[in-house]
């Protein structure tokens, strides 16, 4: 991970101390939304950042720029494969360099504490070990190609409700063993070059503060104990203080150029409230980041041409191609297919046999998400994709021409109508299609205008700097007889007129708050019904008067959504049509799932049910055709009350741009769905250990302690729909024996568990071997079992293979709050080996001596019962 740039810390510190205080402080706030300041006297070029959990979005400098859209992090979590995660990190680095990005704001190290968390799909797992292993791999992949990772959000930031203000009240042991654990492991094993602090705050029993001001956790733990040497970056517009954040451990305020530091921080230093040595340390950390990403070279005089930059840190690599390649698409397709989880296949329906699909029967592709797939979650993870392959497109491309494929929605699962089609919009001041935007100054003067053929004016900011209002005008021509439902969504201050009558107003002056709670992406809406009597087309005049929103570093914009649901068949009529198609087909493939109204940054879900009418659709299709495959297109858990009624069930996640190709690969047996659940799928909402994370009086209390996810399910003795780690794949496996031997791992001790297993099924397959630790009953209370290690192996049908699973010493330790440190309670520990947290087939016992260094592995009989 060491960069090629020869500049050492002593030289960087010398350069830093050569600057005046104002110049140093200027470097500690972003220059713009994504760029950091330059400083020729230091040899510093601007470092560029970008969002990145599901792809590198870029800086938005080119509004038409598109990029690679990867499967969501929860889909990557389902691979349980660090090698795959590292390959994805390398691909993100290529994409970052293609877009001129130096720092990718990823991966997310927060845990899936509750299944209703709005950003659940952006996290890898409910388990700290699985999260840490995969996140460290992504970091290595990025930084090995000279692009900085920025793991986030430090720390215990697991709710979107009131996310900029609440405090997480969490005891020290829970914090150390669960929520800090992924950050600790990633810092130790991958050395990230930056880390982002959370919007929320933490009350750890010693200090209660917003995360950007939390001195104990930022300076004491992250930088001190864990040895993190890069800059701590604020979440965007999260910093609300000068002295408290500066002494608390924050290093960089984003975005800029404004913020609470600048002149106020300079004055605080001169007043003795902030030591100048702290400012120097912050600049040093930023210079390390610039050095590692190749943005730091020899100093030069301002106004003169800068000298060439040194080689970017990481492995030497070729200049990336200007556009994404087929090889890059193929990797995204592979990850989406391999991460797919086969939850159930009771009749051996999968993979589908093409024999017998001739003639008029074929395949009926059914469901709201079959017609309109949900490929990525909403919010900062969103990436405008260079291409998308729908499920219908992917299947049609993979099937022989002789196989008939029909597509049927079976009812609309979205509450909001789609945007008004361009064909229905007419510019009132011209003869062509579109919506006209007039840009007006505060005194009403027209400064310019724009015409766009779309009903989506979300985040529109293409107007002069002194624009005060943007007035949208258009005419809708509706000719289909019946009732048309118009819906308008706006933010800030606005007024909506329909045929000269005001129907909707707003007066929200929160500014940047409209961005932080994602209102600008999903604004509150108001509906109007318009009837067309059939005697001829009806023209509807629409005016939307919007006051420009000033969102600080996010810029100035307006948002308006013009949506329309025309007359059409009812949900019941659509379901009946889909059921009839399923009855005629040889195979029905039903794709159900979530959508942009359900899974997004900015808010938490209110329940786990699938949006209506999907449960009814599944049951009626299965009743009509016993050869039905149900595919769940969702990033986070949803309730499947019919799960034990369907012949075959796949979980396909939010699969990214190659969704259709990946599903076709799985359905037709070209790629094994080798995914394993990275979280527990509940059968009933009332069984969920943490049903929500809603703040109470501004506080989210982690009362469950260390019992998160599958640990809590085991503790409660409840049976989920499908357990953590579950997945069937294409074949069956026999676990024959296991033994444990002491194995030094980087000098830290631990054990290596060697498992002998055989592929007893008819096809080559990949198996994820999971090892769970059960602690002695004596000593501190611990979860019934914790994930201690895992690995993947492959074997041909009938072959045997052995798997080596490393269980590090840290798997045995607990945090002793009284001593303020880690301890390993002595005693006899049991290592359970199997296919999921509830399918455990072998046992190995190991002894930990009074001194944690005395360890001895004991092999028990093969096939010990679970």
């Amino acid at each position: 991970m060491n960069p090629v740039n020869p500049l050492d810390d002593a030289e960087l510190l010398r350069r830093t101390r050569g600057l005046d205080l104002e110049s140093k402080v200027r470097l500690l706030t972003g220059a713009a939304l994504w760029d950091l300041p330059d400083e020729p006297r230091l040899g510093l070029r601007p470092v560029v950042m970008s969002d990145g959990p599901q792809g590198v979005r870029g800086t938005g400098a080119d509004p038409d720029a598109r990029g690679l859209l990867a499967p969501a992090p929860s889909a990557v979590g389902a691979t349980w494969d660090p090698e795959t995660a590292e390959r994805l990190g390398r691909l993100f680095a290529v994409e970052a360099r293609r877009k001129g990005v130096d720092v990718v704001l990823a991966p997310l190290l927060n845990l899936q504490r509750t299944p209703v968390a709005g950003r659940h799909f952006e996290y890898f797992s409910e388990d700290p070990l699985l999260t840490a292993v995969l996140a460290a791999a992504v970091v290595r992949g990025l930084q090995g190609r000279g692009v900085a990772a920025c793991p986030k959000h430090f720390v215990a930031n697991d709710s979107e409700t009131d996310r900029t203000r609440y405090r997480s009240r969490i005891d020290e042991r829970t914090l150390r063993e669960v929520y800090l654990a992924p950050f600790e492991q990633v810092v130790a094993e991958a050395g990230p070059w930056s880390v982002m602090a959370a919007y929320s705050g933490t009350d750890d029993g010693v200090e209660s503060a917003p995360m950007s001001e939390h001195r104990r956790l930022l300076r004491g733990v992250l930088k001190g104990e864990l040895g993190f040497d890069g800059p701590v970056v604020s979440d965007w517009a999260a910093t609300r203080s000068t002295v408290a954040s500066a002494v608390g451990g924050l290093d960089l305020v984003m975005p800029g150029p404004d913020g609470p530091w600048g002149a106020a921080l300079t004055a605080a230093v001169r007043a003795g409230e902030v030591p100048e040595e702290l400012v120097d340390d912050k600049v040093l950390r930023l210079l390390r980041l610039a050095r590692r990403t190749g943005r730091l070279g020899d100093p030069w005089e301002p106004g003169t041409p800068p000298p060439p930059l040194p080689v970017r840190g990481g492995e030497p690599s070729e200049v990336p191609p200007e556009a994404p390649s087929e090889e890059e698409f193929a990797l995204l397709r592979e990850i989406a297919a391999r991460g797919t989880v086969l939850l159930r296949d009771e009749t051996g329906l999968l993979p589908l046999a093409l024999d017998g699909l001739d003639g008029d029967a074929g395949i009926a592709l059914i469901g709201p998400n079959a017609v309109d797939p949900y490929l990525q979650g909403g919010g900062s993870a969103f990436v405008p994709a260079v291409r998308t392959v729908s499920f219908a497109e992917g299947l049609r491309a993979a099937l022989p021409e002789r196989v008939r494929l029909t597509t049927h929605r079976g009812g609309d699962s979205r509450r909001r109508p789609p945007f008004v089609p361009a064909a229905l919009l007419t510019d009132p001041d011209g003869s062509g299609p579109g919506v006209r935007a007039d840009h007006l100054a505060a005194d009403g003067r027209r400064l310019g205008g724009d015409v766009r053929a779309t009903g989506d004016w979300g985040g529109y900011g293409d107007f002069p700097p002194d624009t005060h209002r943007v007035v949208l005008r258009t005419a809708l021509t509706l000719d289909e007889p019946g009732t048309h439902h118009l819906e308008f969504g706006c933010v800030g201050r606005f007024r909506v007129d329909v045929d000269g009558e005001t129907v909707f107003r707003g007066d929200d002056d929160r500014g940047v708050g409209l961005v932080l709670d994602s209102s600008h992406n999903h604004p509150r809406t108001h509906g109007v019904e318009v009837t067309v009597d059939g005697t001829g087309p009806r023209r509807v005049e629409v005016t939307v008067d919007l006051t420009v929103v000033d969102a600080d570093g996010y810029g100035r914009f307006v948002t308006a959504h013009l949506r329309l649901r025309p007359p059409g068949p009812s949900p019941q009529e659509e379901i009946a049509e889909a059921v009839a198609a399923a009855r005629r087909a040889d195979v029905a493939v039903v794709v159900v799932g979530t959508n942009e109204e359900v899974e997004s940054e900015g808010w938490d879900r209110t329940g786990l049910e699938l949006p209506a009418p999907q449960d009814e659709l599944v049951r009626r299709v299965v009743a009509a055709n016993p050869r039905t495959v149900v595919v769940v297109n969702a990033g986070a858990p949803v309730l499947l009350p019919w799960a034990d009624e369907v012949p075959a069930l796949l979980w396909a996640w939010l699969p990214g741009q190659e969704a259709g190709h990946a599903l076709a690969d799985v359905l037709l047996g070209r790629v094994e769905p080798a995914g394993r659940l990275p979280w527990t799928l509940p059968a009933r909402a009332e069984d969920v250990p943490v049903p929500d994370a809603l703040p109470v009086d501004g506080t989210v209390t982690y009362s469950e302690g260390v019992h998160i996810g599958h640990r809590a399910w085991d503790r409660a003795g409840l049976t989920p729909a499908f357990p953590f780690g579950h997945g069937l794949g294409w074949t069956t496996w026999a676990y024959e024996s296991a033994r444990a031997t002491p194995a030094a791992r980087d000098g830290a001790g631990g054990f290596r568990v060697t498992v002998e297993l055989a592929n007893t099924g008819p096809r080559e397959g990949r198996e994820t071997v999971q090892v769970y630790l059960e602690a002695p009953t004596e000593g501190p209370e611990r979860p019934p079992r914790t994930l201690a290690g895992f690995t993947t192996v492959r074997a041909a049908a009938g072959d045997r293979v052995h798997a080596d699973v490393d269980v590090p010493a840290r798997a045995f330790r607990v945090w002793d709050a009284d001593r303020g440190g880690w301890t390993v309670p002595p005693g006899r520990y049991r290592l359970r080996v199997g296919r999921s947290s509830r399918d455990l087939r072998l046992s190995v016992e190991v002894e930990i001596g009074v001194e944690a260094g005395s360890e001895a592995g004991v092999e028990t009989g093969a096939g010990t019962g679970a």
Side-chain angles (χ1 to χ4, degrees):
M1 291 295 175
N2 292 326
V4 175
N5 193 310
L7 296 171
D8 60 20
D9 281 3
E11 170 60 15
L12 299 185
L13 194 57
R14 185 193 67 79
R15 292 186 186 185
T16 298
R17 289 172 175 166
L19 289 182
D20 58 280
L21 178 61
E22 287 83 357
S23 296
K24 289 187 286 191
V25 168
R26 183 181 69 87
L27 299 178
L28 305 182
T29 297
L33 184 59
W34 299 111
D35 301 355
L36 307 192
D38 67 350
E39 177 49 80
R41 292 171 294 176
L42 297 180
L44 177 64
R45 314 286 178 92
V47 174
V48 179
M49 298 181 165
S50 168
D51 279 321
Q54 203 170 344
V56 183
R57 184 163 58 185
T59 62
D62 179 359
D64 298 322
R66 296 182 175 272
L68 295 172
L69 173 59
S74 58
V76 179
T79 68
W80 286 62
D81 186 3
E83 180 182 348
T84 295
E86 187 164 344
R87 290 168 65 201
L88 182 62
R90 290 198 293 268
L91 180 58
F92 280 0
V94 171
E95 178 82 333
R97 296 186 62 188
R98 184 157 44 223
K99 294 186 174 185
V101 167
D102 305 300
V103 182
V104 176
L105 304 178
L108 278 72
L109 272 61
N110 302 110
L111 301 180
Q112 296 160 339
R113 177 174 177 253
T114 172
V116 299
R119 301 183 79 167
H120 190 288
F121 67 93
E122 288 191 69
Y123 309 150
F124 290 112
S125 173
E126 69 186 22
D127 187 87
L129 175 64
L130 181 56
T131 295
V133 170
L134 296 177
V138 171
V139 172
R140 286 193 297 269
L142 273 165
Q143 297 185 169
R145 295 289 179 90
V147 175
C150 186
K152 58 184 186 179
H153 305 87
F154 189 88
V155 61
N157 176 221
D158 309 294
S159 175
E160 288 298 281
T161 303
D162 202 21
R163 64 176 179 163
T164 63
R165 292 186 290 271
Y166 77 79
R167 301 277 173 94
S168 295
R169 180 174 294 147
I170 185 167
D171 66 88
E172 180 78 0
R173 181 184 171 196
T174 298
L175 185 63
R176 294 282 185 162
E177 293 186 21
V178 181
Y179 297 95
L180 271 171
F183 287 94
E184 177 184 357
Q185 189 169 340
V186 170
V187 169
E189 295 183 359
W193 297 344
S194 61
V195 165
M196 182 186 290
Y199 279 123
S200 55
T202 298
D203 178 355
D204 62 3
V206 177
E207 179 179 352
S208 179
M211 204 60 247
S212 59
E213 301 174 7
H214 209 297
R215 181 168 181 168
R216 180 171 184 258
L217 291 179
L218 290 182
R219 291 178 63 183
V221 176
L222 180 62
K223 294 179 176 180
E225 293 180 32
L226 305 188
F228 172 67
D229 68 353
V232 174
V233 183
S234 77
D235 208 334
W236 267 230
T239 315
R240 297 182 290 275
S241 66
T242 300
V243 174
S245 58
V247 301
L250 192 69
D251 299 306
L252 176 64
V253 171
M254 290 298 292
D258 300 320
W261 284 8
L265 179 55
T266 300
V269 174
R270 292 200 166 118
E273 298 174 291
V274 178
E276 188 166 356
E277 291 79 8
L278 273 184
V279 172
D280 290 348
D281 180 70
K282 298 177 193 300
V283 175
L284 174 62
R285 290 171 179 273
L286 288 166
L287 293 183
R288 288 187 186 125
L289 175 65
R291 178 184 66 193
R292 289 161 172 166
T293 56
R295 305 302 294 167
L296 186 68
D298 293 332
W300 73 95
E301 289 298 321
T304 64
L309 279 170
V311 177
R312 182 183 290 263
E315 300 172 1
S317 58
E318 298 177 357
V319 175
E322 293 185 4
S325 66
E326 289 297 327
E327 291 78 10
E328 294 169 355
F329 296 159
L331 176 58
L332 300 182
R333 175 175 180 170
E334 175 192 340
I335 295 171
R338 278 191 44 200
T340 301
V341 182
L342 179 59
L343 295 173
R344 175 181 170 91
D345 187 13
E346 289 299 295
T347 62
L349 180 57
L350 293 174
L352 297 177
L354 292 178
D355 297 342
L357 294 180
D358 297 331
D360 294 332
I363 299 175
L365 183 62
I366 295 169
N369 289 50
V371 173
D372 190 5
Y374 193 37
L375 306 181
Q376 59 178 319
S380 60
F382 185 85
V383 176
V386 67
R387 79 174 192 188
T388 57
V389 182
S390 72
F391 294 130
E393 291 169 336
L395 272 175
R396 183 67 276 168
L399 291 169
E401 284 296 324
R402 60 181 169 78
V403 177
R404 187 180 186 211
L405 177 69
T406 59
T407 305
H408 316 268
R409 184 168 69 170
D412 189 358
S413 64
R414 285 171 168 81
R415 297 188 305 274
R416 295 178 178 176
F419 292 112
V420 178
L424 302 183
L425 299 168
T426 302
D427 174 7
D429 291 351
S431 58
V435 177
R436 177 169 292 275
D438 293 313
H439 309 150
L440 306 179
D443 60 6
R445 288 180 298 110
R446 187 176 186 276
L447 304 176
D450 195 359
V451 177
R452 297 186 176 187
T454 178
D456 182 3
W457 289 74
Y460 174 70
D462 193 13
F463 44 72
D466 49 349
T467 300
H468 179 67
R469 291 163 46 225
V470 175
V471 179
L472 306 179
R473 294 179 294 125
T474 191
L476 279 70
T477 302
L478 308 176
D479 54 13
E480 186 175 352
T483 300
H484 296 250
H485 182 78
L486 281 172
E487 196 165 292
F488 303 96
C490 309
V491 299
R493 288 190 170 271
F494 62 86
R495 188 185 78 246
V496 179
D497 293 346
V498 176
D499 287 337
E501 180 182 349
T502 299
V503 298
F504 192 25
R505 289 179 177 273
D507 57 358
D508 191 336
D509 290 324
R510 288 180 298 141
V512 71
L514 299 170
V515 175
L516 299 182
D517 72 358
S518 284
S519 293
H520 71 307
N521 285 328
H522 300 273
R524 182 172 62 93
T525 60
H526 179 76
V528 175
E529 290 189 345
V530 177
T531 301
V532 177
D533 59 15
T535 61
R538 178 170 175 181
R539 182 181 172 94
V540 181
E541 304 283 346
V542 174
T543 301
V544 184
D545 192 329
L546 303 151
T547 300
V548 172
V549 174
D550 188 345
D552 299 337
Y554 285 94
R556 304 174 73 247
F557 66 88
V558 296
T559 281
H561 291 175
L562 283 62
R563 298 176 177 272
L564 173 67
R565 179 176 288 119
S570 69
Q572 288 302 314
E573 290 171 328
E574 286 197 28
I575 290 175
E577 186 269 336
V579 169
R583 189 175 291 113
R584 293 190 300 268
D586 182 76
V587 173
V589 177
V590 185
V591 186
V592 296
T594 56
N595 53 53
E596 70 281 354
E597 298 173 351
V598 179
E599 295 191 72
S600 176
E601 176 185 4
W603 66 85
D604 295 311
R605 297 157 64 192
T606 57
L608 296 176
E609 296 79 10
L610 279 171
Q614 297 179 91
D615 288 338
E616 179 185 356
L617 175 65
V618 169
R619 284 192 162 116
R620 291 184 60 182
V621 169
V622 171
N625 189 335
R627 290 172 55 80
T628 295
V629 181
V630 178
V631 180
V632 183
N633 171 206
V638 292
L639 297 179
L640 308 178
W642 34 259
D644 58 358
E645 303 169 22
V646 302
L649 179 58
L650 291 163
W651 199 287
W653 307 104
L654 307 182
Q657 67 177 55
E658 303 300 308
H661 288 324
L663 181 60
D665 287 343
V666 169
L667 290 175
L668 301 180
R670 297 174 178 176
V671 176
E672 181 186 24
R676 303 293 186 263
L677 287 179
W679 39 250
T680 305
L681 183 64
R684 305 186 310 164
E686 55 266 36
D687 291 342
V688 173
V690 183
D692 63 61
L694 299 177
V696 177
D697 297 329
T699 300
V700 176
T701 301
Y702 287 58
S703 56
E704 74 281 2
V706 297
H707 306 285
I708 178 178
H710 60 95
R711 304 175 178 187
W713 284 88
D714 289 341
R715 185 189 191 209
L718 295 171
T719 301
F722 296 99
F724 174 79
H726 173 73
L728 299 178
W730 283 154
T731 190
T732 56
W733 296 86
Y735 281 62
E736 297 179 337
S737 66
R739 59 188 176 87
T741 54
R745 189 177 186 223
D746 299 330
F751 293 91
R752 168 162 288 184
V753 179
T754 300
V755 184
E756 303 293 335
L757 63 166
N759 181 345
T760 56
R763 296 171 62 104
E764 179 184 8
R766 180 186 297 267
E767 176 70 333
T768 298
V769 180
Q770 303 165 40
V771 176
Y772 295 82
L773 183 146
E774 295 179 354
T777 55
E778 302 83 6
E781 181 194 8
R782 300 177 73 167
R785 65 185 60 91
T786 56
L787 182 67
F790 59 91
T791 194
T792 58
V793 293
R794 297 183 65 177
D799 281 358
R800 284 175 166 76
V801 66
H802 79 268
D804 290 327
V805 182
D806 287 322
V807 178
R810 65 170 170 270
F812 298 87
R813 68 184 187 177
V814 296
W815 183 262
D816 187 328
D818 293 333
R819 293 172 50 193
W822 294 104
T823 183
V824 178
R828 200 168 185 83
Y829 290 76
R830 196 180 188 198
L831 300 175
R832 306 287 299 278
V833 182
R835 307 195 73 238
S836 78
S837 65
R838 295 292 179 92
D839 184 0
L840 301 171
R841 303 184 176 188
L842 302 173
S843 296
V844 179
E845 293 188 353
V846 297
E847 188 79 23
I848 302 292
V850 175
E851 296 181 3
S854 66
E855 305 159 339
V858 180
E859 180 179 357
T860 65
T864 302

